[in-house]
Amino acid sequence: MSKSEKAEVIMKALGFTRAELKAMTTPDDGDKRLNRLYEMAKDKVDKAVDTEWRQTQTLSLS
């Protein structure tokens, strides 16, 4: 996944503006900050999907 694709995921999932994201991810060795923020965003999305899925399963069992 490209840097710009990761940036889009981060901004949408964590609610950052492009300027905020740029300030937090100044160039560093191997884009560690960008990758860490991407992992945080991915975890947040995964948890939201899991929660929604569990709610759907609970409703279907009722």
Side-chain angles (χ1 to χ4, degrees):
M1 183 174 272
S2 72
K3 289 181 187 181
S4 61
E5 290 171 325
K6 286 181 180 181
E8 288 298 320
V9 170
I10 293 165
M11 288 187 297
K12 287 180 181 177
L14 301 178
F16 294 134
T17 64
R18 186 165 298 284
E20 290 170 328
L21 183 64
K22 190 171 182 176
M24 287 186 285
T25 58
T26 54
D28 62 347
D29 186 32
D31 295 316
K32 290 178 186 175
R33 290 184 200 109
L34 178 70
N35 290 331
R36 179 65 189 129
L37 284 170
Y38 175 72
E39 289 301 319
M40 289 170 59
K42 201 168 85 170
D43 288 345
K44 183 176 180 176
V45 170
D46 288 345
K47 286 177 185 177
V49 169
D50 286 346
T51 299
E52 186 175 320
W53 183 82
R54 274 189 243 115
Q55 288 174 347
T56 304
Q57 293 303 309
T58 301
L59 292 174
S60 67
L61 294 174
S62 310

